[in-house]
Amino acid sequence: MSLPAFDNLLQPDAALVVAFSGGLDSTVLLHQLRGWQQQHPQLRLRALHVHHGLSPNADRWATHCQTICAQWQLPCEVLRVNVDGRENGIEAAARTARYQALSAALQPGEVLLTAQHLDDQCETFLLALKRGSGPAGLAAMPATRALGSHQLVRPLLNQTRQSLEAYADAHQLVWIEDESNQDLRYDRNFLRQRLLPELYQRWPHFAEATARSAMLCSEQEQLLDELLAGQLAELIQPDGSLHFPPLMAMSELRANALLRRWIAGQGGAMPSREALKRIHDEVMASREDAQPRLRFGQAELRRYRQQLYWLPLFSSLRDTELAWPDLCQPLALPQNLGTLRASQSESLLRYPEPDEQVSVRFHAQGHVHLVGRRGGREMKKLWQELQIPPWQRERLPLIFYNQTLVCVPTLFVTRDGAAPNQQGWQIVWDGACGAGEQQ
């Protein structure tokens, strides 16, 4: 790889972070960038090494990476992760854990660089073909993409592994070999060790040809993105949900294309054709009073009032109860739901009596009487009137005095909790979503 290739992808004053495994590919990339930094002194460069803990040599690899970076006078941070491959396998779990750790370790404005090369691109294309992927999957790996609020760049995608080996030999670089790369139980290793050598021997430019096919698939997807962007924008609601009834009148091809793009925009993985059919049959086409839900990994798809919602999975808070003994201190809510604090800025709630204990719960039933309303309401009917989706009802903090519900911050105060004669207080929910928004 020649140094000028960086000029097309990177800014000379950027803050760059290399995902440094210590293997051949990332060692070459980091060495190349170190040379480019010497030409651009304003460039900031550091390395992150992910310690998966899957190999008995993992500690030695981390030490190797730190030693190399010390020799090259570059900062290197080791990120330790736990890999649970019970659901999707070790390969997928390790990749997910790796990118989560790398993304979390990035500082504002930094760009992450990874060292996938042309042979990796060919393997990714063939794995997508094996899974029966469409153009989006066959597009394989883009040279640049968003990674949360950061950018991910792959500068070596046009370089073969052979060219990287030649560069490493020429500069006398030292790298580590992961023994798991020889394990043919992993699909990528099977391709690398058994299939691709035969293909390259028969067709020496096979990797370049698959890269062109991947690029063509990517261009087709980009074109579809442009053609469908306006229609998709009309269907997506301010809270990110998808208004699905128009999809029911469309052709299956168009409806599926829109669904895929909406799910991708929500951070979900590309759904299979079977998954899309289940979304149509079990969610969109189910009866109006149903509460269908489909799980996709660590997320689930749900429906409420002709809207589709893509939601992270949470454990139920239905039986959770939090005591709030000192109202002078804020109360932290579970599952990153924010904090509650007392305020004297407005008199909405009466003060608790000496024999009343203040607590927070996430479930209530029976009738409640609200301030400013005649008659009582069943809690289920009240949630419906307030247009609170079922999954959000158990994520709203309900304030009790002993066994009496007195309010739900931002939503309502009951008659039992109302402040008499403007003598009272209110509860401020910091970090709360609005009543009509989703957690």
Side-chain angles (χ1 to χ4, degrees):
M1 174 184 172
S2 58
L3 290 181
F6 289 126
D7 294 328
N8 299 325
L9 294 172
L10 305 170
Q11 297 296 322
D13 59 348
L16 305 180
V17 179
V18 174
F20 185 37
S21 69
L24 168 68
D25 314 335
S26 60
T27 300
V28 169
L29 176 59
L30 190 60
H31 187 268
Q32 287 272 6
L33 286 168
R34 178 172 171 265
W36 200 58
Q37 184 185 39
Q38 293 172 355
Q39 299 179 8
H40 304 282
Q42 66 274 41
L43 184 78
R44 288 168 289 164
L45 179 63
R46 67 186 184 102
L48 294 175
H49 174 79
V50 179
H51 186 302
H52 297 90
L54 298 175
S55 168
N57 297 311
D59 289 338
R60 183 173 62 84
W61 295 342
T63 300
H64 167 85
C65 290
Q66 291 177 313
T67 300
I68 292 296
C69 287
Q71 292 174 358
W72 293 349
Q73 298 182 324
L74 296 173
C76 179
E77 180 182 356
V78 176
L79 309 175
R80 295 179 179 270
V81 300
N82 295 316
V83 179
D84 184 354
R86 289 175 295 180
E87 184 172 340
N88 296 315
I90 289 294
E91 281 184 290
R95 182 183 185 278
T96 298
R98 180 166 59 252
Y99 276 101
Q100 287 177 344
L102 291 168
S103 180
L106 293 177
Q107 299 171 6
E110 287 187 324
V111 177
L112 179 66
L113 282 77
T114 57
Q116 291 95 347
H117 48 74
L118 185 62
D119 297 71
D120 294 325
Q121 183 77 304
C122 182
E123 293 163 9
T124 301
F125 182 92
L126 291 176
L127 288 172
L129 192 65
K130 185 265 296 184
R131 292 191 298 268
S133 299
L138 295 175
M141 297 179 289
T144 63
R145 72 171 178 87
L147 183 67
S149 60
H150 299 271
Q151 187 181 32
L152 170 64
V153 179
R154 300 181 175 100
L156 304 183
L157 275 185
N158 292 326
Q159 307 299 312
T160 65
R161 178 179 175 85
Q162 186 178 14
S163 69
L164 299 185
E165 290 174 342
Y167 179 94
D169 290 340
H171 292 83
Q172 298 182 324
L173 301 183
V174 179
W175 64 90
I176 59 178
E177 293 287 354
D178 185 344
E179 71 279 356
S180 68
N181 289 337
Q182 305 303 315
D183 191 339
L184 297 184
R185 291 176 300 174
Y186 301 128
D187 290 342
R188 190 174 289 273
N189 290 345
F190 174 77
L191 289 176
R192 186 176 301 163
Q193 303 296 331
R194 293 285 182 87
L195 183 59
L196 284 175
E198 294 288 335
L199 292 174
Y200 291 159
Q201 183 175 0
R202 175 82 179 202
W203 300 296
H205 300 291
F206 184 81
E208 288 87 346
T210 57
R212 285 196 300 273
S213 293
M215 183 178 299
L216 290 172
C217 289
S218 176
E219 290 175 356
Q220 291 298 312
E221 281 298 292
Q222 292 176 36
L223 177 58
L224 280 176
D225 287 344
E226 292 181 13
L227 294 175
L228 295 174
Q231 190 169 27
L232 184 61
E234 293 177 356
L235 298 174
I236 296 178
Q237 305 305 298
D239 62 1
S241 63
L242 185 75
H243 183 62
F244 70 83
L247 271 63
M248 306 293 284
M250 296 178 188
S251 69
E252 181 181 355
L253 290 176
R254 179 178 287 270
N256 286 348
L258 289 166
L259 271 175
R260 287 192 183 101
R261 281 156 179 78
W262 173 69
I263 292 173
Q266 299 295 305
M270 187 63 61
S272 65
R273 183 180 295 272
E274 179 184 357
L276 291 171
K277 187 176 188 305
R278 291 190 66 193
I279 292 173
H280 178 277
D281 296 346
E282 301 176 29
V283 181
M284 295 193 297
S286 61
R287 68 181 191 275
E288 288 189 13
D289 61 343
Q291 296 184 13
R293 56 198 300 181
L294 287 179
R295 179 172 175 176
F296 295 90
Q298 295 304 307
E300 65 177 355
L301 184 83
R302 300 192 65 163
R303 188 192 77 183
Y304 182 69
R305 295 193 174 186
Q306 299 187 325
Q307 313 292 111
L308 297 181
Y309 294 86
W310 188 268
L311 304 165
L313 288 178
F314 292 110
S315 57
S316 175
L317 295 174
R318 183 184 181 91
D319 298 324
T320 300
E321 181 175 347
L322 307 174
W324 195 1
D326 185 359
L327 298 181
C328 294
Q329 299 297 322
L331 180 69
L333 300 176
Q335 298 186 8
N336 298 317
L337 287 176
T339 59
L340 300 178
R341 58 183 174 86
S343 172
Q344 308 296 324
S345 61
E346 193 172 357
S347 297
L348 299 177
L349 281 174
R350 65 175 177 85
Y351 292 107
E353 299 294 337
D355 63 344
E356 290 181 322
Q357 305 298 316
V358 182
S359 65
V360 178
R361 307 175 192 180
F362 296 88
H363 174 69
Q365 56 188 6
H367 276 76
V368 292
H369 295 265
L370 304 188
V371 172
R373 290 193 181 188
R374 296 180 60 184
R377 298 286 196 283
E378 283 281 352
M379 284 301 301
K380 182 177 180 180
K381 295 292 186 182
L382 180 58
W383 291 136
Q384 292 173 349
E385 288 181 24
L386 294 172
Q387 299 186 26
I388 306 298
W391 58 87
Q392 195 178 1
R393 297 169 191 174
E394 293 184 7
R395 297 182 64 75
L396 295 172
L398 283 59
I399 312 302
F400 281 78
Y401 289 173
N402 290 342
Q403 302 303 314
T404 302
L405 176 64
V406 295
C407 85
V408 177
T410 76
L411 288 180
F412 61 77
V413 174
T414 70
R415 294 181 192 173
D416 292 322
N421 303 320
Q422 303 300 314
Q423 297 296 316
W425 63 300
Q426 71 163 332
I427 298 176
V428 178
W429 184 7
D430 294 322
C433 290
E437 297 176 350
Q438 312 315 308
Q439 299 292 345

